Amino acid sequence: MVEFEAWLLDAYADKGTAVAWFTDISGRPIRAHFKYRPDFYVHVDEEHRCNVRNQIEALTGVMAVEEVLRREAFSQEEKTVLKVTMRDTIYFNKIVRKLKNLEFVKLYNIHILHSQRVLYKLGLEPGCKALLDLAYDGSLLSLTKVDDREVLPPPFKVLAFRLTKKGRYTIDRIDVFSGPTKIGEFAGEPNKILFEFASVVRSEDPDILICNARDDTFTMLLAMSRLYGMNLQLGRDRTDIASLPRPLPYWVRGRVVLDEQHFDPLLGCWGLAGILERSRFGFLPIDLAAEWTSNRLVDSRNTFELLQHGVLIPAKPKYFEPRRNVGEMGIKDKGAIIMPPLLGVHDNVAELDFESEFANIMVRDNISYETISERGDIDGLLPGVIKKFLDRRLYFKRLRSSLPQDSEELDYCEQRQTSLKLMLCVLYGTSGCAWNRFGNVLAFEKINAMAREVMLEATKVAEERGFRTLYADTDSLFVRREDATETEYKALVETLNESIGLPLTLDHHYRFLVLLPRKEDAHTPAFKRYYGLTYGGELVCRGIECRRHDTPLFIKEVQEAMMKALLFKDDLAEVYTKGLADSIRVLNMALKRLERGDIEGSRLCVTKIMRKEADQYFSLLSHVSAGLRMKAEGEDITSDSFISYIYKSSDHRNPLCRVVPFTMKTSTYDTSKYKDLLTGAASTILAPLLTRGMKMAQGSSRLDDYI
């Protein structure tokens, strides 16, 4: 017997054997295995039960059939069902399909993937640490989970590569990277490229492979390997590529393949630590956790939790929504409260944030699918799930303040808490969704009703203590009181915590906060659109140009410089006078630089994502035109490709001539277009100040008059 401390990388079923791959502290791969006997349940009325049982027992691949008592999910009534245990995975789907055709039969637990079943059997999520006892032949004797809150990911070895096509069906080159370092560059004949690439994979022996266009890339690699008669081995378990039904995951057993899009900041990526948190939450293999929608991750976690209590999981959604008229729906089906912002510049403002408000409400009030329409005196499924991951998310969220800025630990910590935040939001958001297997719209409505009560109570308590509400949005409250100190704001937070019973934090204490109007109407308040300067000197922005990934870097820099010139002042009067003048001065200097043409092309690039193939667009939008030009130059442009371009002549009659791909170097740009973009960004932050500020300075209230 051998003992190890290791992290789970992947698990899957291979006929009658379950295989689990681990990585120890030194990065060494460990293969463990144990017997795997998948099962499912059949409910049939008593009249047909004996006959159906005899038929099932006679089927090839069935190991045992027994009568057991089980209850369906969220039901208190037990019923007799047939538990069917299979010898392996070979005939599982065939038998399930045959039984589905019987009218008087209802099947349970048939939707669960074999890889999920193996993980459930292990009781360990990928990325988690465990103490292993293995026999000398690799058989798993015992496994003990080690609960950890480590910020850094496990010591998984990562290898990235990028495949470039020549045309549609031929490989042009493969570049291989270990971290930021390129360790291989293979070009020439396709069979030579394939052989050298497979050799690098074997020698480096990575746990995780990252590539562009994951599914397309491996489909191409498999097709080319078969074409050249090469039985290439890219996994740790040997396979015969001629018999593979598809490349992933069968061709790379013992490794995990991820798409590079999950690591790109332009897509709001999760990063490796974030993907591992999704895998832990969903109790899913790492690659599925990255590819599946969040709703499916919630379903997988719910399934695991219910199976621990031995309940039956229906194959089809059991969505509940009562029949109601429009009037009843109007009363019950309301979202959270939003109080319109008070436009303008405000000083000494506190932003109070409910920490995971909806998740905490579900835990506090025991709100779940089954506790609303049936019994409210039982412990709900959702509060139990939420409590575990809410505590974990808040741990990482609070840990951030103690980590060094720009450190690797801070990045990983942010990935983890952001990923968990999304999953907790989805738990709430899908609680009444028809696509949720157990969705109950009454639960969703109850959560929203309680959230409205919480916000109304919070504003009432704050106003009773002399604080004015400037803006309230779902789970954030912006309040102000003349000459209030940070200590007094923190005292308000403590008072609200006690009176409401939900955790709040003082998220930001602003020296100045600017609440912005809608772009279309300068007199109508906009939601989630503001910027401000904290007493700590931090610039906080929401819903404006510098937060968008497709805003050119130069315009982001100028907008941020204008905000700093405006807000780094002593008081409101100085913001409206000297600050406004300084901000416009920054704008004018930037406009002159544009006119001189001395801005580097990389800082004027607009980057957008192709959401579909270029030839599927009906309109030649700017990024589509750039993508078509790049494709004409031989570049591999597909859906999800990032297109970077520069405006060359935005008024040109031919859309293809309006922009130039960044890869096609150009020394000139459309000055007029970039001036429009820049003045638009400037108007965003200055619009609420111009009228009052220029009146104080006896000037015009039009921005154009100062450019």
Side-chain angles (χ1 to χ4, degrees):
M1 185 176 72
V2 186
E3 294 184 351
F4 297 96
E5 183 177 79
W7 289 263
L8 178 61
L9 172 68
D10 195 22
Y12 52 88
D14 183 9
K15 298 179 182 177
T17 302
V19 179
W21 284 92
F22 296 84
T23 300
D24 68 10
I25 190 65
S26 66
R28 181 169 61 97
I30 300 169
R31 187 183 192 274
H33 61 86
F34 55 93
K35 289 183 179 179
Y36 175 64
R37 303 288 184 260
D39 57 43
F40 62 93
Y41 294 85
V42 181
H43 178 257
V44 58
D45 57 67
E46 190 173 354
E47 178 184 352
H48 299 92
R49 189 178 302 147
C50 183
N51 182 38
V52 170
R53 177 173 181 168
N54 291 335
Q55 290 184 48
I56 295 175
E57 287 177 332
L59 294 173
T60 303
V62 174
M63 183 176 177
V65 181
E66 57 180 318
E67 291 187 12
V68 295
L69 284 175
R70 291 287 188 274
R71 62 182 179 86
E72 192 171 337
F74 307 141
S75 171
Q76 303 304 311
E77 180 183 349
E78 287 190 331
K79 54 188 176 183
T80 302
V81 292
L82 300 176
K83 180 182 179 182
V84 181
T85 304
M86 306 293 297
R87 295 185 185 280
D88 50 40
T89 61
I90 298 174
Y91 293 97
F92 187 93
N93 290 337
K94 184 177 180 180
I95 290 176
V96 167
R97 284 195 298 269
K98 183 174 291 189
L99 292 175
K100 275 184 176 180
N101 294 327
L102 301 178
E103 293 182 5
F104 45 81
V105 162
K106 186 174 182 180
L107 304 180
Y108 294 93
N109 298 12
I110 60 172
H111 68 285
I112 309 170
L113 300 179
H114 292 298
S115 56
Q116 288 176 277
R117 294 170 185 266
V118 173
L119 290 175
Y120 295 169
K121 183 77 173 176
L122 283 170
L124 186 70
E125 303 97 323
C128 292
K129 186 191 292 186
L131 296 175
L132 312 176
D133 287 337
L134 300 182
Y136 289 105
D137 66 350
S139 299
L140 182 63
L141 302 177
S142 68
L143 179 151
T144 305
K145 183 176 180 179
V146 178
D147 193 19
D148 67 275
R149 287 184 171 180
E150 296 177 4
V151 173
L152 296 178
F156 296 147
K157 186 173 184 180
V158 179
L159 195 71
F161 71 95
R162 173 167 278 274
L163 182 148
T164 305
K165 297 179 184 178
K166 182 189 294 181
R168 193 168 183 178
Y169 302 105
T170 307
I171 299 174
D172 181 47
R173 60 186 290 136
I174 295 179
D175 298 312
V176 184
F177 303 85
S178 178
T181 306
K182 182 185 285 190
I183 62 172
E185 183 177 317
F186 311 125
E189 293 298 319
N191 57 338
K192 177 175 174 287
I193 296 174
L194 291 170
F195 178 79
E196 291 176 335
F197 171 65
S199 298
V200 167
V201 171
R202 284 197 304 273
S203 62
E204 293 292 324
D205 195 21
D207 298 301
I208 298 175
L209 286 167
I210 300 174
C211 64
N212 58 314
R214 170 182 177 266
D215 292 330
D216 289 345
T217 291
F218 274 85
T219 299
M220 166 72 84
L221 289 173
L222 182 62
M224 297 301 291
S225 298
R226 286 172 171 170
L227 178 65
Y228 286 95
M230 304 171 70
N231 192 26
L232 293 181
Q233 301 300 311
L234 297 181
R236 286 169 170 158
D237 276 350
R238 187 168 182 80
T239 58
D240 177 14
I241 69 168
S243 62
L244 294 179
R246 58 181 183 274
L248 296 177
Y250 306 103
W251 199 12
V252 291
R253 291 301 200 192
R255 310 190 203 280
V256 173
V257 181
L258 300 175
D259 197 300
E260 67 178 21
Q261 68 173 334
H262 301 309
F263 298 84
D264 197 302
L266 292 179
L267 288 173
C269 66
W270 301 306
L272 180 57
I275 292 173
L276 292 176
E277 287 298 331
R278 288 174 63 86
S279 180
R280 181 190 290 254
F281 179 92
F283 226 117
L284 283 170
I286 295 172
D287 56 341
L288 293 185
E291 296 294 324
W292 278 15
T293 63
S294 297
N295 184 42
R296 295 185 72 182
L297 268 66
V298 169
D299 183 68
S300 180
R301 169 54 67 171
N302 287 342
T303 297
F304 168 74
E305 297 292 343
L306 290 170
L307 287 178
Q308 303 314 296
H309 296 88
V311 302
L312 304 173
I313 313 296
K316 294 183 179 180
K318 192 181 178 182
Y319 177 68
F320 177 80
E321 181 168 2
R323 181 176 295 178
R324 297 177 292 183
N325 59 40
V326 175
E328 291 173 322
M329 291 183 66
I331 294 172
K332 293 283 188 180
D333 193 8
K334 297 178 181 177
I337 280 184
I338 299 178
M339 299 179 184
L342 185 63
L343 295 180
V345 187
H346 308 274
D347 63 344
N348 190 22
V349 178
E351 179 185 356
L352 312 183
D353 179 59
F354 286 93
E355 291 191 306
S356 300
E357 179 187 14
F358 295 102
N360 271 305
I361 286 174
M362 294 164 77
V363 172
R364 184 192 69 177
D365 299 332
N366 190 33
I367 301 176
S368 186
Y369 315 116
E370 73 278 22
T371 60
I372 300 298
S373 53
E374 295 187 16
R375 292 173 52 192
D377 60 342
I378 59 176
D379 291 333
L381 168 67
L382 290 182
V385 173
I386 289 170
K387 184 68 170 64
K388 182 190 311 180
F389 291 98
L390 179 59
D391 290 345
R392 185 172 175 84
R393 189 241 164 176
L394 294 180
Y395 168 78
F396 288 119
K397 181 181 179 181
R398 292 162 183 167
L399 182 64
R400 293 179 303 176
S401 60
S402 64
L403 297 174
Q405 290 295 317
D406 301 321
S407 65
E408 187 179 51
E409 289 84 355
L410 182 60
D411 288 342
Y412 285 130
C413 191
E414 184 64 30
Q415 289 175 16
R416 290 184 184 277
Q417 80 88 18
T418 301
S419 182
L420 288 168
K421 178 181 179 180
L422 172 64
M423 296 313 306
L424 291 169
C425 288
V426 171
L427 269 174
Y428 147 71
T430 61
S431 59
C433 176
W435 294 105
N436 186 335
R437 190 180 308 276
F438 310 111
N440 183 343
V441 73
L442 298 181
F444 180 71
E445 292 174 356
K446 178 69 172 177
I447 299 165
N448 286 332
M450 298 309 299
R452 292 195 298 274
E453 288 185 16
V454 163
M455 185 59 77
L456 290 173
E457 178 66 18
T459 55
K460 178 183 175 183
V461 171
E463 289 172 1
E464 286 174 351
R465 283 153 181 76
F467 294 91
R468 183 185 184 187
T469 300
L470 301 179
Y471 175 38
D473 190 342
T474 310
D475 60 356
S476 294
L477 187 64
F478 295 79
V479 297
R480 178 186 183 277
R481 193 179 73 190
E482 192 74 29
D483 299 326
T485 64
E486 183 171 334
T487 301
E488 290 173 311
Y489 281 126
K490 288 181 177 179
L492 174 63
V493 168
E494 292 300 320
T495 301
L496 291 172
N497 281 335
E498 293 175 7
S499 63
I500 295 174
L502 294 178
L504 280 89
T505 59
L506 176 58
D507 205 24
H508 295 105
H509 186 193
Y510 294 99
R511 178 185 292 274
F512 301 112
L513 176 68
V514 186
L515 297 173
L516 298 171
R518 292 169 57 89
K519 273 194 169 185
E520 302 81 7
D521 183 358
H523 302 289
T524 303
F527 303 131
K528 293 182 174 62
R529 197 161 183 259
Y530 58 87
Y531 65 94
L533 178 71
T534 69
Y535 277 93
E538 178 189 2
L539 203 60
V540 179
C541 311
R542 297 290 184 271
I544 63 176
E545 286 81 358
C546 65
R547 294 273 294 183
R548 293 177 57 93
H549 71 76
D550 59 349
T551 300
L553 178 60
F554 175 70
I555 292 174
K556 287 185 179 183
E557 292 171 344
V558 174
Q559 191 178 53
E560 289 175 3
M562 290 180 67
M563 287 187 284
K564 290 178 180 178
L566 176 73
L567 298 181
F568 275 89
K569 298 295 181 282
D570 292 332
D571 53 41
L572 272 181
E574 194 173 340
V575 168
Y576 275 107
T577 52
K578 189 174 185 301
L580 188 53
D582 289 347
S583 186
I584 291 176
R585 190 176 299 113
V586 170
L587 171 62
N588 280 322
M589 290 173 61
L591 290 170
K592 288 177 182 177
R593 291 189 63 193
L594 278 174
E595 290 172 351
R596 290 197 301 267
D598 61 356
I599 310 299
E600 295 178 8
S602 60
R603 298 174 67 205
L604 296 175
C605 261
V606 179
T607 301
K608 291 184 179 287
I609 305 168
M610 297 286 280
R611 296 298 182 185
K612 49 189 175 182
E613 298 293 336
D615 55 7
Q616 293 179 355
Y617 282 89
F618 293 106
S619 300
L620 286 179
L621 306 172
S622 296
H623 69 293
V624 178
S625 298
L628 288 171
R629 292 187 63 175
M630 293 166 70
K631 202 167 185 178
E633 292 293 320
E635 294 192 44
D636 184 23
I637 303 299
T638 61
S639 59
D640 293 331
S641 292
F642 292 99
I643 308 297
S644 296
Y645 59 91
I646 296 173
Y647 288 104
K648 178 76 171 177
S649 178
S650 58
D651 293 329
H652 200 285
R653 292 179 61 185
N654 185 348
L656 293 173
C657 298
R658 293 172 185 169
V659 297
V660 177
F662 180 63
T663 52
M664 300 168 62
K665 302 298 182 182
T666 178
S667 58
T668 60
Y669 51 81
D670 188 338
T671 303
S672 177
K673 176 66 176 179
Y674 283 102
K675 287 175 70 174
D676 287 344
L677 292 175
L678 184 54
T679 53
S683 296
T684 294
I685 62 173
L686 297 183
L689 292 95
L690 284 173
T691 302
R692 178 180 171 186
M694 289 309 177
K695 281 182 179 177
M696 292 174 69
Q698 285 79 46
S700 169
S701 62
R702 294 179 65 251
L703 179 61
D704 290 347
D705 294 337
Y706 295 86
I707 297 175

